Amino acid sequence: MERKKITFKINGEEKTLEVEPNKTLLWLIREELKLKGTKRACERGDCGLCTVLLNGEPVKSCLVLAVEVDGSEIITVEGLARNGELTPLQRAFIEHGALQCGFCTPAFLIVGHWLINRNPRPSREEVIEALNGVLCRCTGYRSIIDAILSVTKTEK
Amino acid sequence: MLPKLDYSSPRTLGELLELLDRYKDQAKILAGGTDLIVSLREKLEKPKYIIDIKKIPELGKLEYREGEGLTIGATVTFKNILENPVIKDRYSVLWEAVKTIGDMVLRNRATLVGNICTASPAGDSSPALLVLNARVKIVSKEGSREIPLENFFTGVKKTVLKPWEMVKEVLVPEPPKKSFGRYLKMMRVRSEDLSVVGVAGLGYREGGEIKIRLAFSSVAPTPLRVKEAEEAFAKPGPIEEKIERAVQVAVEKVSPISDVRGSAEYRLNLVRVLTRRLLKQLVEVV
Ligand code: FES
Ligand code: FES
C-alpha cells in the first residue's frame, strides 16, 4: 500500500501529511488530527453523524477517502466558532435545548450552518429536508428545527 | 477498517482506460463512493486498486441538446441532476426518482452512473431511465459501444460490463412531445430508505392515442421494464379497462422476493396499487 501525500485546509489551517489510501476522511479528522467533535457511528452513510463541509458542501466523511481531499478545504464543528465565541446557531441550540446526549449535535450544526449560508430564509420544510440525512436518537427533531429557524428569523 | 489498497486519480480518460486495462478485476472505480466505500468496509469488494475518476473533466458532462437529448457523465451527481432546470422540466420522471434517493447530503456525492453500475434491484434512477429509453455508453481501451439500458443489467448487482470497461455516460433521448412522467416509491419510512416497490411511468400521445411506458424497482433481480403491460394501451377499448389490463399484466410479470423491507405478497399488492395509481395520474394529464 503506497502512502500518498495530501495537502488540504482544515478549519482555516493548511496541513500536509502522508496517509494510507485505505483511510477515510473521518479517520483523518478524528484519529490523525484529533478533532473529536465529528462523530463516528454507523460508518455506512446512514446516520450522518460524521458530516463535515468539504469545499463548502456537506458530506458524510465516513464515505470519503482521506486521499480524495487533496487540495480541498474542510470545515468541522470545531471550525464554526470564531475566537472562542459561539455562532448564533450554536447559541440557539443551547437556548432551544436542541440536544440531549449531544452526540448528533456537531452534524446538525454543520448542516444547519451550510443551509443558512446557502439559503438565509429557509422554510420549515426546507430545514426538514436538509436535515434528512442526520439522525438523532434522543431528543426528537422539533427543537433542532426550531433552533435553526430562530436564527434565520433574527438574521433577516 | 478498509482493506489494503492502492489509489490513483488519473487526469485523462485515456490514462484511466489504460489503468483499467492493466488491473482489470483487481480495480474498482471510485466516483461518489457512497456505495463503494460501504462495500469495501463490509468486505463485499476486495479490490487492490481504487481508481478515482473525479479529476477527469470530461466525465462531468451534463448536457442537453434540443432534439437530441441529455448526456449524463460518469461523475455527475444526483445534486447536479436535481439542480438542472431542463431535467426538472422535460425529464420529470428522472427528477422525481432522483429526489427520492438517500438524503441531501448523500446526493452531494452519489452519482447517477454509479447508481446504475451498482445494479441494485432497488435502484431508483433505473426505472426512470428505462421508461425514457436511456442508452449506456461503455468505453474501454479497445473502443466504445452503446447499448440500451434494458440490456445492461444481467442479475442482482450484475451488469454486462467487462472488468476493463466502464460506463462513460448515460444518454437519454428527447422524450416524446408533451409526455408526462412520474415515479412513485413506497418506503418503510418517509425518508432515506430503499424502495419496497418503485414504479416509473411515462405517458404521451401518439396519433391521438394514449401510450404508456412502465418500469419497476425492487420487484425482480434487476430494474424491470414491463412492455407487455404497456401493450394494454395499444388495443382499443375504454381507458379504465386498459388500465386494469396493464395492472394485471404487470402483476403477472414481476417476481418479487421477501426481504427485510417487505414480503413478496405485500410487494405484489403494492405493484397492483401503485401501478393503478400511477396510470390514473398519467392518463389524466396526457
Ligand atoms: S458514521 Fe458516517 S454516516 Fe454514520
Ligand atoms: S441528542 Fe442524543 S442523538 Fe441527538
Side-chain angles (χ1 to χ4, degrees), chain A residues 1-2 4 21-22 24 43-44 46 54 57-60 62-63 65 67-68 114 129 132-133, chain B residues 2-7 30 34 37-38 41-42 52 54 79 99 103-105 107-109 191-192:
Chain A
M1 204 165 38
E2 197 191 324
K4 291 264 171 186
N22 68 341
T24 61
E43 283 196 282
R44 41 168 298 131
D46 291 334
L54 179 61
E57 293 290 327
V59 300
K60 302 187 182 191
C62 69
L63 298 182
L65 294 178
V67 283
E68 286 181 75
W114 166 78
E129 156 115 54
N132 235 338
Chain B
L2 304 183
K4 286 201 162 61
L5 47 89
D6 276 306
Y7 168 92
L30 170 68
T34 52
I37 309 255
V38 177
R41 182 164 287 115
E42 293 175 355
D52 185 350
K54 288 192 290 297
K79 175 193 150 97
K99 186 93 177 141
D103 58 77
M104 206 182 251
V105 179
R107 294 193 298 259
N108 274 336
R109 300 282 290 181
S191 69
E192 211 195 338

Side-chain angles (χ1 to χ4, degrees), chain B residues 12-283:
Chain B
T12 66
L13 186 60
E15 244 178 275
L16 159 62
L17 297 178
E18 195 67 46
L19 288 172
L20 268 183
D21 196 66
R22 186 174 330 145
Y23 300 141
K24 302 202 169 61
D25 50 6
Q26 298 195 327
K28 272 277 157 190
I29 288 180
L30 170 68
T34 52
D35 279 328
L36 178 63
I37 309 255
V38 177
S39 339
L40 291 178
R41 182 164 287 115
E42 293 175 355
K43 313 268 188 291
L44 301 172
E45 303 272 8
K46 289 178 193 148
K48 280 205 179 119
Y49 304 94
I50 293 285
I51 309 174
D52 185 350
I53 60 172
K54 288 192 290 297
K55 296 209 173 109
I56 305 172
E58 68 184 291
L59 297 181
K61 180 161 155 189
L62 178 55
E63 196 177 88
Y64 170 74
R65 285 182 187 221
E66 183 102 43
E68 278 176 40
L70 198 62
T71 304
I72 304 173
T75 59
V76 171
T77 63
F78 289 137
K79 175 193 150 97
N80 299 148
I81 288 174
L82 291 178
E83 285 175 353
N84 187 297
V86 177
I87 298 180
K88 188 169 184 183
D89 184 41
R90 302 204 184 194
Y91 298 87
S92 54
V93 59
L94 177 62
W95 194 90
E96 275 191 15
V98 167
K99 186 93 177 141
T100 70
I101 299 174
D103 58 77
M104 206 182 251
V105 179
L106 205 87
R107 294 193 298 259
N108 274 336
R109 300 282 290 181
T111 64
L112 179 104
V113 168
N115 197 223
I116 292 169
C117 290
T118 297
S120 160
D124 289 300
S125 63
S126 299
L129 290 170
L130 284 172
V131 299
L132 289 166
N133 287 341
R135 301 174 65 78
V136 182
K137 181 155 187 189
I138 297 171
V139 292
S140 72
K141 205 183 151 193
E142 257 63 76
S144 71
R145 59 190 176 124
E146 215 182 283
I147 61 165
L149 179 64
E150 246 188 296
N151 303 343
F152 181 69
F153 305 111
T154 53
V156 178
K157 304 213 167 177
K158 290 203 169 68
T159 71
V160 299
L161 275 188
K162 302 278 190 304
W164 55 89
E165 291 180 322
M166 68 163 293
V167 174
K168 183 182 176 214
E169 52 206 18
V170 171
L171 311 162
V172 199
E174 183 81 49
K177 277 221 164 55
K178 292 201 182 145
S179 62
F180 175 67
R182 295 220 64 186
Y183 183 64
L184 300 185
K185 171 175 173 180
M186 186 59 86
M187 296 181 271
R188 290 167 298 180
V189 290
R190 251 187 47 211
S191 69
E192 211 195 338
D193 196 16
L194 302 175
S195 65
V196 181
V197 167
V199 49
L202 189 81
Y204 58 101
R205 279 181 188 267
E206 210 176 77
E209 291 296 314
I210 291 180
K211 300 273 176 205
I212 298 282
R213 297 184 199 152
L214 263 185
F216 295 85
S217 64
S218 295
V219 297
T222 67
L224 190 70
R225 172 108 179 242
V226 186
K227 287 191 173 154
E228 296 86 346
E230 299 172 3
E231 277 159 23
F233 291 85
K235 294 173 192 135
I239 196 73
E240 295 76 25
E241 270 173 32
K242 294 182 186 180
I243 290 178
E244 283 316 307
R245 208 177 312 139
V247 169
Q248 190 151 0
V249 176
V251 170
E252 281 162 20
K253 289 290 165 190
V254 299
S255 50
I257 55 161
S258 298
D259 67 10
V260 287
R261 297 199 301 285
S263 68
E265 291 85 347
Y266 177 50
R267 283 200 160 97
L268 270 185
N269 195 43
L270 280 178
V271 168
R272 187 173 293 119
V273 172
L274 292 181
T275 307
R276 187 179 291 130
R277 187 179 299 163
L278 179 73
L279 291 174
K280 282 187 177 160
Q281 290 178 7
L282 293 183
V283 301

Side-chain angles (χ1 to χ4, degrees), chain A residues 49 98-105 108 135-141 144:
Chain A
L49 299 188
L99 59 146
Q100 206 169 82
C101 78
F103 200 70
C104 64
T105 313
F108 279 113
L135 303 183
C136 172
R137 295 293 83 156
C138 297
T139 184
Y141 299 96
I144 297 170

Side-chain angles (χ1 to χ4, degrees), chain A residues 11-117:
Chain A
N11 300 332
E13 214 181 299
E14 188 155 313
K15 304 251 179 208
T16 297
L17 43 91
E18 281 195 353
V19 288
E20 291 175 322
N22 68 341
K23 294 293 196 287
T24 61
L25 172 60
L26 176 60
W27 175 90
L28 178 73
I29 291 168
R30 283 184 59 87
E31 310 307 328
E32 183 71 29
L33 303 173
K34 304 285 181 225
L35 294 170
K36 302 283 185 176
T38 305
K39 301 303 181 212
R40 178 169 76 94
C42 72
E43 283 196 282
R44 41 168 298 131
D46 291 334
C47 72
L49 299 188
C50 62
T51 302
V52 299
L53 297 183
L54 179 61
N55 297 325
E57 293 290 327
V59 300
K60 302 187 182 191
S61 63
C62 69
L63 298 182
V64 178
L65 294 178
V67 283
E68 286 181 75
V69 306
D70 186 30
S72 307
E73 190 162 349
I74 301 149
I75 305 279
T76 68
V77 69
E78 290 89 346
L80 296 178
R82 288 279 144 84
N83 308 320
E85 195 173 321
L86 296 182
T87 63
L89 183 63
Q90 287 173 313
R91 285 201 303 273
F93 265 62
I94 298 172
E95 279 152 27
H96 285 83
L99 59 146
Q100 206 169 82
C101 78
F103 200 70
C104 64
T105 313
F108 279 113
L109 284 170
I110 287 287
V111 177
H113 272 277
W114 166 78
L115 176 69
I116 295 167
N117 267 334

